[in-house]
Amino acid sequence: MALLLDIRDPNWMREEELRDLLAPRLPGVPIYCDLTEAELEKVLVLAVVRLRPDVAVRLPALKLVQKLGAGVESIVQAPDLPPHIRVARLKPQQAGREIAEYCLAYVLRDQRYMLDHATDAKKGRWSPMAPRQSHKTSVGVLGLGHIGGQVAKSFAALCFRVLGWSRSPKSIEGATCVSGRDALPAMLAECDYVVSVLPSTPETRDLFDSRLFDEMKAGARLINVGRGDLIVEEDLLAALDGGPLAGAVLDVFRQEPLPADHPFWQHDKITVTPHVSGWHLDNGLPDVAENYRRLVAGEPLLHEVSRQAGY
Ligand code: NDP
C-alpha cells in the first residue's frame, strides 16, 4: 500500500520536499510524487492541497483524502469522491497564530489610525488623533474552532471585548460566546469589528448577505479570513456604499486569484490580500504520516472532518 502526494503548488511546497519529510516516519511505505509514477492500485492515502477532478476515481484502493491545509469544502463535495472515502485535515499551531496576527494587525491599524498617520506624514502634517481604546471596542469572532478560538483569545489578551459565535455552544476564556443563527443579530449589533473564521459549508455559504449586513452596527468593519463564498459580493459592496459597513479586509475570495477587473481591488473601503493570512503548516505536516499509520492500524484519525457537516 502507498501514499500519493498531489500538491502542484511549487510556491508553497514541492511534493519531493514533503516526501523527504514523511519518508522517515513511514519506513517501507512507497510515497509517490506524481500520478504517472504511482502504482495507482496501491494508493491508500491521497494528500492534496486541492483535489483535482478525476484523480480519486483512478485510485481503487483509496481510503483517505488528507487535505494539506484546513478548508475541505472542495473535497467533501467532490462529486466523484465515493461516500466511503474519509477526509482529514491539518491543524497546525502556526497557521492559527498567523491568522490571529493578521486579524490583530488590521484591527490595530484602524484603532491607531495608522493609514491616516501615514498619509499625514507624507504631507508633513502633524495631526494627533486619540487612538480608539481596546476595552471599549467589541470584536465579534464568527467561528470558534481551531483558528477562531486562537483569534478570540488573542483579542481578549489585548483587553478587547470579545464576542464569539459557533454552531454548537462553546466556552472561551475572555469571550462571551453564543451559538445558532438566532443569536447572531443581537451579537452583530454590538460589534465594532466582525471577524469571519468560518468554513465554507452548505449552512455558511452566502451567510454574509444584505440581511446580515443590516444586522451589523453602523460603522462596523468586516475581516474575512474564512472563505470567499461566505460573502454575497454585491451585498457587501452595497453595505459599504451607503450601508452600515465602514470597511472590509478580505483575504479570501469566491474566485482566486481575484480577477484583475474585480471591483474589490479599487474600492476605497476594501483591503485585499492574496490568501496569505495563514501560511505555514510545518508542525502539522507530520500528521500526514501519522494518519497513514492510524488508517492502516484501524485507529481513530487525527482531525477527521464530517463529510456531512462539511467541516
Ligand atoms: P474548525 O473546523 O476548527 O472550526 C470551524 C468553526 O466554525 C467551529 O467553531 C464551528 O462551530 C463553526 N461553524 C461551522 N459551521 C457553522 C455554522 N453553520 N454556524 C456557526 N458556526 C459554524 O476550522 P478552523 O478554525 O481550523 O478553520 C476555519 C476556516 O478557516 C477553514 O475552514 C478555512 O476555510 C479557513 N482558513 C483560512 C485560511 C487563510 O489563509 N485565509 C487558512 C486556514 C483556514 P462548532 O465549534 O460548533 O463546530
Side-chain angles (χ1 to χ4, degrees), residues 102 194 196-197 222-228 230-231 249-252:
Y102 175 101
V194 174
S196 159
V197 202
L222 171 69
I223 298 178
N224 185 22
V225 290
R227 278 294 179 262
L230 302 172
I231 292 179
V249 176
L250 308 174
D251 187 47
V252 284

Side-chain angles (χ1 to χ4, degrees), residues 70-71 73 89 91 99 143-148 165-168 170 197-201 203-204 225-227 251-252 275-278 311:
E73 65 280 359
R89 52 163 290 190
K91 290 195 176 180
I99 292 183
L144 297 172
H146 173 64
I147 298 169
W165 184 69
S166 53
R167 197 158 72 118
S168 55
K170 285 266 166 328
V197 202
L198 290 164
S200 166
T201 73
E203 279 184 28
T204 60
V225 290
R227 278 294 179 262
D251 187 47
V252 284
H275 203 143
V276 289
S277 57
Y311 71 103

Side-chain angles (χ1 to χ4, degrees), residues 20-65:
D20 293 348
L21 191 142
L22 299 176
R25 294 177 162 84
L26 292 173
V29 176
I31 302 179
Y32 302 120
C33 295
D34 201 298
L35 270 170
T36 57
E37 74 171 25
E39 291 180 78
L40 298 181
E41 69 287 354
K42 288 195 179 162
V43 173
L44 193 64
V45 176
L46 170 66
V48 296
V49 173
R50 265 164 238 95
L51 181 60
R52 289 189 286 148
D54 304 331
V55 173
V57 285
R58 294 167 62 188
L59 308 173
L62 185 66
K63 294 269 185 313
L64 169 67
V65 178

Side-chain angles (χ1 to χ4, degrees), residues 2 73 90 96 105 122 128 154 159 216 271 294:
E73 65 280 359
L90 299 178
K122 284 225 162 59
S154 302
C159 300
M216 287 171 66
T271 300
R294 287 179 180 226

Side-chain angles (χ1 to χ4, degrees), residues 75-78 81-87 305-311:
I75 301 173
V76 292
Q77 292 157 22
L81 191 68
H84 69 274
I85 294 181
R86 298 161 76 180
V87 178
V305 303
S306 155
R307 287 192 62 182
Q308 199 190 354
Y311 71 103

